[in-house]
């Protein structure tokens, strides 16, 4: 990971952990799923408001480590206004990123702030923290009722 990305990583995680975006229960959500990462103890609930194939609104609630919260916060900021299929594609991309398939220095222009999560590939336990919100979002989209665990 290059220096620029490492500094950005620390900045983004600190910022989103301190003041998480879209951190609220959504009363009019059309999709909902609960996520749980037993390895770390992260609980993240995802709320989605889908209209005409678009993510009109997305929010999250729960408790977890800084990485799981920052990831959920950044995910919700990123997905708002995207289509459902764009959101699914971003999930794939994010998954490739945190599992190291995009390499240590991914394209920041393409991924935006999400690129900072390249940092977690060095810590396998943290991959689950970073991807919990995303897995939960996908389950919410597909309306699966069962609880997501990253195991
Ligand atoms: Zn965690």
């Amino acid at each position: 990971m290059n220096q620029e990305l490492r500094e950005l990583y620390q900045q983004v995680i600190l910022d989103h952990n301190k003041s998480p975006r879209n951190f609220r229960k959504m009363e009019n959500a059309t999709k909902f799923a609960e996520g749980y990462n037993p390895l770390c103890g992260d609980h993240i609930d995802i709320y989605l408001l889908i209209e005409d194939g678009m993510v009109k609104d997305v929010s999250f609630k729960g408790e977890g480590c800084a990485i799981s919260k920052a990831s959920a916060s950044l995910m919700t900021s990123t997905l708002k206004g995207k289509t459902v299929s764009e959101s699914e594609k971003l999930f794939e991309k994010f998954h490739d990123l945190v599992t190291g398939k995009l390499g240590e220095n991914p394209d920041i222009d393409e991924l935006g702030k999400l690129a900072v999560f390249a940092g977690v590939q060095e810590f396998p336990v943290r991959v689950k923290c970073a991807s919990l919100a995303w897995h939960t979002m996908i389950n919410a989209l597909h309306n699966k009722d069962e609880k997501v665990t990253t195991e």
Side-chain angles (χ1 to χ4, degrees):
M1 203 175 187
N2 65 33
Q3 191 61 26
E4 183 194 1
L5 205 53
R6 197 177 294 274
E7 276 166 23
L8 196 61
Y9 174 72
Q10 276 157 4
Q11 237 178 53
V12 168
I13 302 281
L14 280 177
D15 171 35
H16 281 262
N17 184 47
K18 212 171 93 185
S19 44
R21 321 297 197 268
N22 309 299
F23 188 73
R24 63 193 151 81
K25 197 176 160 191
M26 197 196 300
E27 298 297 344
N28 58 339
T30 55
K31 310 265 184 193
F32 167 76
E34 289 177 59
Y36 177 49
N37 171 18
L39 270 182
C40 180
D42 310 314
H43 282 269
I44 303 275
D45 294 344
I46 300 288
Y47 301 84
L48 288 158
L49 177 63
I50 307 291
E51 269 174 30
D52 306 322
M54 294 269 298
V55 180
K56 286 268 169 170
D57 201 5
V58 46
S59 68
F60 77 103
K61 236 0 210 169
E63 276 179 52
C65 64
I67 290 177
S68 66
K69 260 171 85 178
S71 177
S73 172
L74 204 56
M75 181 191 80
T76 55
S77 328
T78 307
L79 293 185
K80 214 182 272 192
K82 295 247 185 313
T83 66
V84 167
S85 65
E86 282 169 341
S87 304
E88 287 167 342
K89 277 194 200 107
L90 261 179
F91 164 76
E92 300 289 336
K93 192 130 240 181
F94 187 81
H95 200 259
D96 286 349
L97 173 74
V98 293
T99 52
K101 289 194 189 118
L102 303 183
E104 278 188 29
N105 295 300
D107 190 346
I108 298 184
D109 290 337
E110 189 194 358
L111 283 159
K113 279 186 181 165
L114 294 177
V116 302
F117 283 96
V120 303
Q121 62 187 264
E122 295 167 40
F123 312 98
V125 174
R126 291 308 190 188
V127 171
K128 293 184 190 266
C129 300
S131 56
L132 177 63
W134 289 85
H135 282 291
T136 310
M137 179 276 291
I138 287 294
N139 265 32
L141 276 182
H142 297 168
N143 254 345
K144 290 188 185 147
D145 283 336
E146 74 266 32
K147 221 173 184 181
V148 184
T149 80
T150 49
E151 284 306 279

